[in-house]
Amino acid sequence: MPMLYLISCRMFEDELVHIFEREDDNTRLMLIENENIQSFEKKLDEVSIDYEKISVAKLPPKSGQTDEFVVVLNILEFALGANPSRLKNKVYETIEEADGLFDGILVFYGLCGNALISLELDFECMGIPVRILKDAHGNVVDDCICASFEDKNAYIEAIMGDRNGKGTYFLTPMQAANWRKMLVLTKVASDPDNIKMMKRVFDYSGYNKVGKIDTGLCYEKKFDKTVDEFASIFDFKKVIFSGSTKITDDCYQSIKRELVPASSTKKENQNDN
């Protein structure tokens, strides 16, 4: 029973639901119970994905008695990336607490201000695969926005494509659903209803567009409406970017193949055809 520990930022809720919606019956999802899982649980329930809720203290022991692939998912709080030092400490502590319990660890984060730039190297001593999100060229993604494009080059092109000196504020479905909360947590604003102050901050930062990143996922039902409201509130032009779940999908399947070399689920094969 190979066991994968998947440590993720809440911003990847939709990508995670997408992954587990395509998994077969041999994959057993166990969700660490904490204050960050409420909306994720709702999405799992809406698409009828089976899962169990457990505490870290009650993880099952590793065993080779069954063919199940067990994924233990630990979703961490929003906006850790606003404080790189705090983010690194939290992610590293979470990995260290899992020492000896798993066959592999996948971290659904990017560099996040270079806080996690040496993560894989720092945990080589664990003797198991410890992976972070990378594109197909081996580039660690910058953050959740970068991970929403097909690769890092596509992300850079999206940023550099605006040549008039003004910036684009990117929204994924989860960023859009939580934009007020995120602006407070990242200290852009102290009051989520103080639009006047936030407009000042955006103007000072050079933003005049909102970039809607369409990854094809529709678990956040109000994505389109929220982006339109955001554009209206801040008088931003809306620009649509073609996003992708390729990075998160590929990283998950890659470590799964490392842990279960012979595995090739029916759904994965169907998606490749």
Side-chain angles (χ1 to χ4, degrees):
M1 182 172 70
M3 292 181 65
L4 170 67
Y5 196 29
L6 206 167
I7 302 166
S8 178
C9 173
R10 273 194 65 193
M11 281 300 170
F12 290 108
E13 277 187 7
D14 291 359
E15 288 82 359
L16 290 165
V17 175
H18 173 66
I19 285 170
F20 293 114
E21 194 174 14
R22 299 191 306 165
E23 278 288 62
D24 62 18
D25 294 337
N26 287 330
T27 297
R28 179 183 176 191
L29 174 59
M30 308 182 81
L31 187 58
I32 298 294
E33 194 165 12
N34 60 37
E35 66 276 9
N36 306 311
I37 65 172
Q38 185 175 1
S39 63
F40 182 66
E41 280 191 274
K42 182 179 179 182
K43 291 172 185 176
L44 292 177
D45 293 338
E46 285 175 350
V47 294
S48 302
I49 297 175
D50 293 331
Y51 62 96
E52 306 163 52
K53 289 195 291 187
I54 58 169
S55 67
V56 175
K58 294 183 179 179
L59 289 172
K62 289 192 294 185
S63 169
Q65 300 304 309
T66 75
D67 292 330
E68 283 185 314
F69 178 58
V70 178
V71 181
V72 177
L73 173 59
N74 192 349
I75 298 179
L76 304 185
E77 64 192 273
F78 270 142
L80 284 171
N83 185 328
S85 177
R86 183 166 170 253
L87 167 64
K88 180 176 181 178
N89 289 339
K90 181 63 177 178
V91 172
Y92 274 47
E93 286 172 5
T94 304
I95 294 173
E96 288 162 357
E97 290 169 358
D99 193 13
L101 298 177
F102 297 95
D103 300 291
I105 296 173
L106 176 58
V107 177
F108 261 42
Y109 279 91
L111 295 173
C112 298
N114 285 334
L116 304 179
I117 191 170
S118 61
L119 183 141
E120 291 189 0
L121 180 63
D122 290 341
F123 287 100
E124 278 186 343
C125 59
M126 289 187 76
I128 60 172
V130 179
R131 305 287 181 254
I132 193 169
L133 290 178
K134 298 177 181 176
D135 67 14
H137 308 291
N139 303 306
V140 179
V141 301
D142 287 7
D143 49 31
C144 60
I145 299 297
C146 180
S148 298
F149 288 86
E150 183 170 336
D151 56 33
K152 197 164 182 175
N153 288 332
Y155 168 67
I156 293 171
E157 287 175 10
I159 294 175
M160 301 301 291
D162 184 6
R163 301 184 184 280
N164 63 5
K166 296 289 186 178
T168 301
Y169 191 84
F170 291 98
L171 291 177
T172 64
M174 278 295 289
Q175 287 275 359
N178 298 279
W179 71 264
R180 290 179 186 268
K181 181 185 296 184
M182 291 303 300
L183 288 175
V184 172
L185 290 172
T186 55
K187 304 189 186 313
V188 172
S190 57
D191 179 358
D193 296 317
N194 190 342
I195 301 300
K196 186 176 181 180
M197 175 58 71
M198 284 189 280
K199 280 183 176 179
R200 264 199 227 116
V201 173
F202 279 136
D203 185 58
Y204 179 79
S205 302
Y207 290 110
N208 70 343
K209 299 181 183 70
V210 56
K212 176 190 173 187
I213 307 175
D214 185 3
T215 60
L217 304 182
C218 55
Y219 304 112
E220 286 291 340
K221 311 299 184 192
K222 298 181 180 179
F223 183 36
D224 292 342
K225 180 181 178 181
T226 304
V227 173
D228 288 342
E229 289 176 347
F230 186 95
S232 177
I233 288 171
F234 296 106
D235 195 24
F236 281 3
K237 177 183 176 182
K238 184 174 73 171
V239 183
I240 299 176
F241 292 88
S242 294
S244 174
T245 62
K246 178 176 174 56
I247 290 175
T248 47
D249 290 346
D250 286 358
C251 287
Y252 175 81
Q253 293 299 337
S254 177
I255 196 166
K256 182 176 180 179
R257 285 191 294 269
E258 284 191 76
L259 303 184
V260 193
S263 77
S264 181
T265 67
K266 292 181 181 179
K267 290 186 180 182
E268 187 180 351
N269 286 335
Q270 289 171 357
N271 289 328
D272 289 339
N273 293 331

